[in-house]
Short mmCIF file of all heavy atoms in Angstrom, two decimals:
data_model
loop_
_atom_site.label_atom_id
_atom_site.label_comp_id
_atom_site.label_asym_id
_atom_site.label_seq_id
_atom_site.Cartn_x
_atom_site.Cartn_y
_atom_site.Cartn_z
N ALA B 863 -8.79 -1.52 -14.21
CA ALA B 863 -7.66 -2.25 -13.57
C ALA B 863 -6.99 -1.49 -12.41
O ALA B 863 -6.70 -1.96 -11.36
CB ALA B 863 -6.64 -2.84 -14.58
N ALA B 864 -6.75 -0.24 -12.80
CA ALA B 864 -6.12 0.68 -11.82
C ALA B 864 -6.96 0.87 -10.62
O ALA B 864 -6.57 0.86 -9.47
CB ALA B 864 -5.74 2.00 -12.55
N VAL B 865 -8.28 1.05 -10.93
CA VAL B 865 -9.22 1.31 -9.78
C VAL B 865 -9.13 0.02 -8.81
O VAL B 865 -9.12 0.20 -7.62
CB VAL B 865 -10.64 1.52 -10.22
CG1 VAL B 865 -11.57 1.47 -9.01
CG2 VAL B 865 -10.78 2.86 -11.03
N MET B 866 -9.14 -1.11 -9.40
CA MET B 866 -9.29 -2.34 -8.66
C MET B 866 -7.92 -2.84 -8.18
O MET B 866 -7.84 -3.87 -7.48
CB MET B 866 -10.02 -3.41 -9.44
CG MET B 866 -11.45 -3.08 -9.72
SD MET B 866 -12.33 -4.30 -10.67
CE MET B 866 -12.50 -5.64 -9.45
N GLY B 867 -6.86 -2.18 -8.61
CA GLY B 867 -5.51 -2.65 -8.18
C GLY B 867 -5.10 -3.93 -8.79
O GLY B 867 -4.47 -4.80 -8.14
N ARG B 868 -5.50 -4.16 -10.01
CA ARG B 868 -5.11 -5.34 -10.70
C ARG B 868 -4.33 -4.97 -11.94
O ARG B 868 -4.29 -3.93 -12.42
CB ARG B 868 -6.32 -6.14 -11.14
CG ARG B 868 -7.12 -6.73 -10.01
CD ARG B 868 -8.42 -7.20 -10.49
NE ARG B 868 -9.35 -7.57 -9.42
CZ ARG B 868 -9.58 -8.81 -9.02
NH1 ARG B 868 -9.00 -9.81 -9.69
NH2 ARG B 868 -10.36 -9.09 -8.08
N SER B 869 -3.65 -6.06 -12.44
CA SER B 869 -2.96 -5.81 -13.73
C SER B 869 -3.97 -5.75 -14.82
O SER B 869 -5.17 -6.19 -14.64
CB SER B 869 -1.97 -6.94 -14.02
OG SER B 869 -2.66 -8.16 -14.31
N VAL B 870 -3.62 -5.29 -15.93
CA VAL B 870 -4.59 -5.17 -17.00
C VAL B 870 -5.01 -6.62 -17.45
O VAL B 870 -6.18 -6.88 -17.79
CB VAL B 870 -4.02 -4.40 -18.22
CG1 VAL B 870 -4.93 -4.46 -19.45
CG2 VAL B 870 -3.76 -2.88 -17.83
N HIS B 871 -4.02 -7.40 -17.52
CA HIS B 871 -4.29 -8.83 -17.85
C HIS B 871 -5.32 -9.42 -16.92
O HIS B 871 -6.29 -10.07 -17.40
CB HIS B 871 -2.99 -9.60 -17.91
CG HIS B 871 -3.09 -11.03 -18.22
ND1 HIS B 871 -3.63 -11.47 -19.42
CD2 HIS B 871 -2.87 -12.11 -17.45
CE1 HIS B 871 -3.68 -12.76 -19.38
NE2 HIS B 871 -3.20 -13.16 -18.28
N ALA B 872 -5.06 -9.26 -15.72
CA ALA B 872 -6.00 -9.84 -14.75
C ALA B 872 -7.39 -9.24 -14.88
O ALA B 872 -8.47 -9.93 -14.83
CB ALA B 872 -5.52 -9.62 -13.23
N ALA B 873 -7.51 -7.94 -15.14
CA ALA B 873 -8.79 -7.28 -15.30
C ALA B 873 -9.46 -7.80 -16.52
O ALA B 873 -10.67 -8.02 -16.56
CB ALA B 873 -8.58 -5.76 -15.42
N GLU B 874 -8.69 -7.99 -17.57
CA GLU B 874 -9.34 -8.53 -18.80
C GLU B 874 -9.87 -9.97 -18.55
O GLU B 874 -11.04 -10.35 -19.06
CB GLU B 874 -8.27 -8.61 -19.96
CG GLU B 874 -7.92 -7.29 -20.53
CD GLU B 874 -6.72 -7.26 -21.43
OE1 GLU B 874 -5.89 -8.27 -21.39
OE2 GLU B 874 -6.51 -6.32 -22.15
N THR B 875 -9.13 -10.73 -17.92
CA THR B 875 -9.65 -12.06 -17.55
C THR B 875 -10.90 -11.98 -16.72
O THR B 875 -11.91 -12.67 -16.89
CB THR B 875 -8.52 -12.85 -16.70
OG1 THR B 875 -7.31 -12.80 -17.48
CG2 THR B 875 -8.91 -14.29 -16.45
N LEU B 876 -10.84 -11.07 -15.82
CA LEU B 876 -11.98 -10.95 -14.83
C LEU B 876 -13.20 -10.48 -15.63
O LEU B 876 -14.34 -11.01 -15.37
CB LEU B 876 -11.74 -9.82 -13.78
CG LEU B 876 -12.68 -9.73 -12.70
CD1 LEU B 876 -12.74 -11.09 -11.89
CD2 LEU B 876 -12.28 -8.54 -11.73
N ILE B 877 -13.05 -9.57 -16.54
CA ILE B 877 -14.18 -9.10 -17.36
C ILE B 877 -14.81 -10.27 -18.20
O ILE B 877 -15.96 -10.41 -18.32
CB ILE B 877 -13.78 -7.99 -18.37
CG1 ILE B 877 -13.52 -6.71 -17.51
CG2 ILE B 877 -14.86 -7.75 -19.39
CD1 ILE B 877 -12.96 -5.62 -18.48
N TYR B 878 -13.82 -11.07 -18.72
CA TYR B 878 -14.29 -12.12 -19.56
C TYR B 878 -15.19 -13.10 -18.69
O TYR B 878 -16.32 -13.47 -19.10
CB TYR B 878 -13.13 -12.91 -20.08
CG TYR B 878 -13.45 -14.21 -20.71
CD1 TYR B 878 -14.04 -14.23 -22.03
CD2 TYR B 878 -13.21 -15.45 -20.09
CE1 TYR B 878 -14.37 -15.38 -22.61
CE2 TYR B 878 -13.59 -16.65 -20.69
CZ TYR B 878 -14.10 -16.59 -21.92
OH TYR B 878 -14.54 -17.74 -22.54
N ARG B 879 -14.73 -13.42 -17.53
CA ARG B 879 -15.49 -14.33 -16.70
C ARG B 879 -16.79 -13.66 -16.21
O ARG B 879 -17.87 -14.30 -16.09
CB ARG B 879 -14.68 -14.77 -15.46
CG ARG B 879 -13.43 -15.50 -15.88
CD ARG B 879 -12.90 -16.33 -14.77
NE ARG B 879 -11.80 -17.13 -15.17
CZ ARG B 879 -10.55 -16.89 -14.97
NH1 ARG B 879 -10.21 -15.91 -14.20
NH2 ARG B 879 -9.51 -17.61 -15.41
N ALA B 880 -16.65 -12.41 -15.90
CA ALA B 880 -17.83 -11.71 -15.35
C ALA B 880 -18.93 -11.60 -16.46
O ALA B 880 -20.13 -11.81 -16.08
CB ALA B 880 -17.49 -10.26 -14.93
N ARG B 881 -18.50 -11.38 -17.65
CA ARG B 881 -19.53 -11.32 -18.75
C ARG B 881 -20.22 -12.57 -18.91
O ARG B 881 -21.37 -12.71 -19.24
CB ARG B 881 -18.80 -10.78 -20.00
CG ARG B 881 -18.49 -9.36 -20.00
CD ARG B 881 -17.71 -8.99 -21.20
NE ARG B 881 -18.40 -9.14 -22.46
CZ ARG B 881 -17.86 -8.84 -23.63
NH1 ARG B 881 -16.66 -8.44 -23.72
NH2 ARG B 881 -18.56 -9.07 -24.73
N ARG B 882 -19.35 -13.71 -18.91
CA ARG B 882 -19.94 -15.02 -19.09
C ARG B 882 -20.95 -15.33 -18.04
O ARG B 882 -22.04 -15.84 -18.26
CB ARG B 882 -18.75 -16.02 -19.03
CG ARG B 882 -19.11 -17.39 -19.53
CD ARG B 882 -17.87 -18.25 -19.61
NE ARG B 882 -17.27 -18.34 -18.25
CZ ARG B 882 -16.07 -18.89 -17.98
NH1 ARG B 882 -15.42 -19.39 -19.04
NH2 ARG B 882 -15.57 -18.91 -16.82
N ARG B 883 -20.62 -15.02 -16.74
CA ARG B 883 -21.52 -15.19 -15.75
C ARG B 883 -22.80 -14.31 -15.77
O ARG B 883 -23.91 -14.76 -15.57
CB ARG B 883 -20.82 -14.88 -14.34
CG ARG B 883 -21.59 -15.08 -13.15
CD ARG B 883 -21.80 -16.61 -12.81
NE ARG B 883 -22.60 -16.66 -11.63
CZ ARG B 883 -22.10 -16.69 -10.45
NH1 ARG B 883 -20.83 -16.67 -10.22
NH2 ARG B 883 -22.94 -16.69 -9.30
N MET B 884 -22.55 -13.08 -16.23
CA MET B 884 -23.71 -12.19 -16.40
C MET B 884 -24.61 -12.68 -17.46
O MET B 884 -25.86 -12.65 -17.31
CB MET B 884 -23.10 -10.79 -16.88
CG MET B 884 -24.15 -9.81 -17.06
SD MET B 884 -24.95 -9.38 -15.57
CE MET B 884 -25.02 -7.66 -15.68
N LYS B 885 -24.05 -13.28 -18.51
CA LYS B 885 -24.92 -13.76 -19.55
C LYS B 885 -25.81 -14.92 -18.97
O LYS B 885 -26.99 -14.98 -19.28
CB LYS B 885 -24.03 -14.41 -20.66
CG LYS B 885 -24.70 -14.89 -21.87
CD LYS B 885 -23.74 -15.12 -23.00
CE LYS B 885 -24.41 -15.84 -24.22
NZ LYS B 885 -24.42 -17.23 -24.15
#
Side-chain angles (χ1 to χ4, degrees):
Chain B
V865 169
M866 295 179 72
R868 293 169 187 257
S869 70
V870 174
H871 177 59
E874 284 168 346
T875 307
L876 190 61
I877 288 175
Y878 171 74
R879 296 199 176 108
R881 288 173 63 183
R882 195 174 54 189
R883 180 73 181 273
M884 179 66 136
K885 184 166 174 276

